[in-house]
Amino acid sequence: MSEHELDARNLLCPLPVIRTQDAVKKLQPGDRLHVHCTDPGALHDIPTWCRINGHGVGDIVQQGREIVITVQVVAGED
Amino acid sequence: MAEQRKAVALISGGLDSMLAAKAMLEQGIRVEGINFFTGFCVEGHTHAIRRQDAAKPKRNNALWVAEQLGIKLHIVDVIEEYKDVVLNPKHGYGANLNPCLDCKIFMVHKALEWIDAHGFDFIITGEVVGQRPMSQRKDTMPVVARESGAEDRLVRPLCAQNLPATLPEREGWIDRERMYGFSGRSRKPQMALAKQYGFTEWAQPAGGCCFLTDEQYAHKLADFWQGRGERRYELDDIMLLKVGRHLRPRPHFKMIIGREEGENNFLEGYRKQFVHLRALSLEGPLALIDGHVDDSDLELAARLVCRFGKGRDAERVQVVITDLHGETRVMDVAPLSADDVPQAWYL
Ligand code: SF4
């Protein structure tokens, strides 16, 4: 179990989702990925991506323009 | 028990691909979705940028569709490879700069690579014979199947009954009778099928699934190539074409002017790559200059940018100009009047 950071700031959707998806592929079940983004669309899209692909969504923290979404990796991607 | 067959469905976020995927789920196929991000896709971007649109939902339609269907979705970044499709389409363009036939071939080919890599059996698209003038004609359907390399592993459930049997039909993995024979431009059969499946909501992209079908966008893209003297682009270039007012006051430079706060914020992110200006004494938008400019061009640009800010009726406005090294200077200029800005400058 380990913690990882992903910088997806200044990217517009769907790029933050694509970067999240590609990062999660390299992680193990139980790992957590903190995705930093600025496109408010990510507030919607990253949790949706997690739900449909079977991953968990942890804290969502918004500080000014920056949003940090925590993805809990559940299944190994196939 | 027979092995469960697996298919990947091209999911655009619109109704047709949603119905096509659903039709295969109904036949017991394990379906996963694939969506290609070309950089031109009509998605939340402009909504995400413009502050006045902030209250509207900014969902990604492909993800939304996947969730409605209960399938996984793989979003694939094809920005680099897609450039060749846009720049050199073998089959040419549609009404604007949309290379729809080459685009379809490219996407089905990418899906084919994906199914081969992931051990899936076939590909599903929401194409309908006669639905679109360029890519979905009776004579172009086989072209997509052949030139993509997918051949008879490409299934179009919405119009399968009008097309030759595919491998999954011949193998008995799917039943031709439980697919459809839609054709033509009418949307009624899709609406009826949506109702039958219990779908009450879907996205309706006007014209097409990407900005290349948009006349104004295509005009700006053609102008961009002409201004740069070469047909090439990076992701940032095509993103910037979606934002702000674009004006070309002289052949050798154009200006991108934010229309509201959200766009100004977005353009801020690019300001280090461009000479840029903004009114100092009276509030006004941020403007980026694309091209090489001398002092008289800068004066014109400064007078023009005032036209779109609070200083438009002032006698003089001070404008800060920042060059590519971050050095600033202030110019004191008279704003252009509306009559001084010919319509032809607007892209
Ligand atoms: S509208 Fe755009 S994305 Fe859709 S087929 Fe045509 S070129 Fe491709």
Side-chain angles (χ1 to χ4, degrees), chain B residues 82 98-100 103-104 107 208-210 213:
Chain B
Y82 195 72
N98 47 313
C100 290
C103 173
K104 280 272 152 59
M107 288 185 182
C209 20
C210 83
T213 56

Side-chain angles (χ1 to χ4, degrees), chain B residues 102-123:
Chain B
D102 289 85
C103 173
K104 280 272 152 59
I105 294 167
F106 169 83
M107 288 185 182
V108 174
H109 177 72
K110 294 301 293 178
L112 179 67
E113 287 178 355
W114 193 93
I115 64 169
D116 285 342
H118 293 81
F120 275 47
D121 300 296
F122 64 101
I123 300 162

Side-chain angles (χ1 to χ4, degrees), chain B residues 22-29 173-176 178-179:
Chain B
K22 177 72 176 170
M24 294 292 88
L25 285 166
E26 291 282 300
Q27 295 210 23
I29 300 296
W173 305 337
I174 54 175
D175 179 1
R176 187 175 178 88
R178 290 167 64 207
M179 294 197 285

Side-chain angles (χ1 to χ4, degrees), chain B residues 72-234:
Chain B
K72 285 191 177 188
L73 181 75
H74 309 275
I75 308 181
V76 186
D77 168 351
V78 293
I79 297 163
E80 281 304 314
E81 288 167 89
Y82 195 72
K83 288 178 181 172
D84 192 47
V85 178
V86 178
L87 297 174
N88 307 303
K90 190 174 145 195
H91 298 281
Y93 297 106
N96 292 299
L97 281 173
N98 47 313
C100 290
L101 186 49
D102 289 85
C103 173
K104 280 272 152 59
I105 294 167
F106 169 83
M107 288 185 182
V108 174
H109 177 72
K110 294 301 293 178
L112 179 67
E113 287 178 355
W114 193 93
I115 64 169
D116 285 342
H118 293 81
F120 275 47
D121 300 296
F122 64 101
I123 300 162
I124 304 163
T125 69
E127 292 164 285
V128 168
V129 178
Q131 181 94 174
R132 297 216 191 268
M134 182 178 196
S135 56
Q136 301 189 28
R137 292 197 317 250
K138 184 126 192 154
D139 57 327
T140 57
M141 296 293 234
V143 177
V144 175
R146 190 173 61 240
E147 293 190 12
S148 65
E151 307 277 2
D152 61 357
R153 286 197 287 162
L154 174 59
V155 177
R156 288 102 159 193
L158 300 187
C159 63
Q161 291 175 356
N162 304 324
L163 298 171
T166 56
L167 176 81
E169 293 164 74
R170 289 199 309 273
E171 293 291 327
W173 305 337
I174 54 175
D175 179 1
R176 187 175 178 88
E177 295 310 309
R178 290 167 64 207
M179 294 197 285
Y180 302 91
F182 301 169
S183 70
R185 299 190 71 111
S186 165
R187 306 285 301 153
K188 284 203 186 111
Q190 282 94 322
M191 303 292 171
L193 188 58
K195 201 168 165 206
Q196 188 186 320
Y197 286 146
F199 298 149
T200 51
E201 196 194 331
W202 53 84
Q204 285 171 305
C209 20
C210 83
F211 270 105
L212 293 167
T213 56
D214 181 88
E215 188 179 345
Q216 206 193 352
Y217 186 88
H219 177 65
K220 283 191 273 189
L221 181 58
D223 168 83
F224 169 79
W225 285 332
Q226 198 174 15
R228 288 274 169 102
E230 56 178 349
R231 278 166 53 92
R232 229 175 44 76
Y233 65 84
E234 296 304 328

